[in-house]
Amino acid sequence: MDWDDLRLFLAVARAGSLTGAGRALGVRHSTVLRRMAGFETKLGLRLFDRGPGGYALTAAGRELLEEAAEVETRLVALERRLSGRDRRLTGTVRIATLGALAPWLAEALAAFRVLHPGIRTEIAISHETVSLARHEADIAIRVSRNPPDSLIGRRIATLVHGVYGARDHPPLPPGAALAEAPWVTYAQGRADLPQARWVAANIPDSRIVLRTDHTGMMIQAVRAGIGLGLFACYLCDADPALVRLRTLSGLGLDLWILTHPDLRDTPRVRVLMDHLAAALAARRPALMGRMPSGDAAQPETGEGGRPAG
C-alpha cells in the first residue's frame, strides 16, 4: 500500500472534505478527487460516503483510519528523529505563525538570512491547525493559554488586550457603558477564542452588529466606526484611527515559540528559533500594551490564523 495514498486518505478523513484535504496537502480539489477515486479502486472498497455534509467514513474507512494513523505516527516520529540528527546549518525550516506578526517576522528573517544564508524558510499562515507532532512544521509561533506538554519552547510575553473604537467616528456617547455601544466580534467558527467569549459574556447579543472570522476585517470595521472591538493591543495601539477605551489584561493569552523535542538539537531549527525568540522578545512593549507610537504589528490581510501543536 502506497504511503502517498494513505496520506491522502488521512487528509480527507480529517478534513471531512476534498477542499480541506487539498488545502492541507497543497494540491487541487480535482487532484484529491482523482487520487481518492483511484485509491478506492485499487482497494476495491468504498472508504467514504459522499453527502451534503462532506465525506463520512464507511466501516472500512474507519478500520483503515485506525491503522493508517498508527503508520503515520511511526513514520513521522522516524522522520523527526532523523531530521534531529542533521547537524548542518543548511536546509529548510518550516514555520507556522500568525499573519499579524508577518511584518516583524519578515524583518527578523531578513537579518537571519545575512547570518545563515544556507538556511531556507517556509511560512504557513492559516486558520487550520498545524501539527508539530505530525511534523507539518518545525517551529510554531502561537497564542495559547497552555501549550501541549509534548512541545518545548519559551513564552515570549503575556498579551494585553483592549477595547478599541474609531477615533473620528466614536460609536460610544460620552459617559455611556461599553455594553450600550454597537460591537463587532468573531463569527461562530472562532467563538472559542477568549476575545469572543469575553464579548459574549459582557455584551448583549442585540448590540452585536457585525461578525466575521477575520481579525483584519474586524479592525477595519472598528476603524470605519461600525462598532467597538476587542483586540490584542499590539495590533491597534499605533493606529491613529483607533483609540483604546479600556485595557483588559486577564484573558490569559501568551505568545509562545515552540518546537518538538525531537528537533530541539537540530542546528538549523535551534539557531532560527533562538533568533526569532530574540526578535519577538524585543517587541514585548508592544505585545504587553506599552508600545511606542508607530511600532504596531499589522492586522492580518490574508488568511491569518493560529498555529497549533
Side-chain angles (χ1 to χ4, degrees), residues 33 72 109 125 158-159 185 188 213 218 242 264 289:
L33 177 62
E72 179 191 44
L109 290 173
I125 298 174
T158 296
L159 299 182
T185 190
Q188 185 60 38
D213 65 351
M218 284 175 57
L242 298 176
R264 76 168 89 194

Side-chain angles (χ1 to χ4, degrees), residues 49-240:
D49 287 323
R50 288 78 167 169
Y55 274 48
L57 288 164
T58 63
R62 289 192 294 273
E63 184 176 351
L64 179 59
L65 177 62
E66 183 176 343
E67 297 295 332
E70 290 183 9
V71 171
E72 179 191 44
T73 298
R74 291 195 297 270
L75 287 177
V76 170
L78 175 61
E79 179 188 15
R80 281 198 316 266
R81 290 196 299 271
L82 293 176
S83 178
R85 293 174 185 171
D86 188 346
R87 315 309 299 172
R88 298 169 298 171
L89 283 171
T90 59
T92 299
V93 181
R94 295 168 296 170
I95 305 166
T97 187
L98 307 171
L101 299 178
W104 295 349
L105 290 181
E107 181 180 322
L109 290 173
F112 184 80
R113 282 284 301 158
V114 175
L115 298 172
H116 300 287
I119 299 177
R120 300 180 299 276
T121 53
E122 293 180 2
I123 310 294
I125 298 174
S126 172
H127 283 320
E128 305 297 328
T129 296
V130 176
S131 174
L132 295 178
R134 292 199 296 269
H135 206 195
E136 295 171 353
D138 301 301
I139 295 171
I141 301 170
R142 60 184 282 184
V143 171
S144 175
R145 290 179 181 271
N146 295 295
D149 292 337
S150 58
L151 304 179
I152 61 170
R154 64 198 77 173
R155 179 170 55 192
I156 302 299
T158 296
L159 299 182
V160 172
H161 291 71
V163 175
Y164 289 85
R167 190 178 299 276
D168 296 334
H169 309 284
L172 187 67
L178 293 180
E180 298 175 23
W183 275 75
V184 303
T185 190
Y186 286 103
Q188 185 60 38
R190 304 189 75 182
D192 62 319
L193 293 177
Q195 302 95 305
R197 291 201 298 268
W198 187 94
V199 172
N202 291 277
I203 305 302
D205 189 68
S206 61
R207 304 308 298 157
I208 306 301
V209 297
L210 184 148
R211 297 181 186 271
T212 176
D213 65 351
H214 194 272
T215 305
M217 181 65 233
M218 284 175 57
I219 292 176
Q220 292 293 340
V222 172
R223 187 182 287 132
I226 292 176
L228 304 183
L230 175 59
F231 306 105
C233 292
Y234 76 93
L235 293 173
C236 300
D237 274 352
D239 189 331

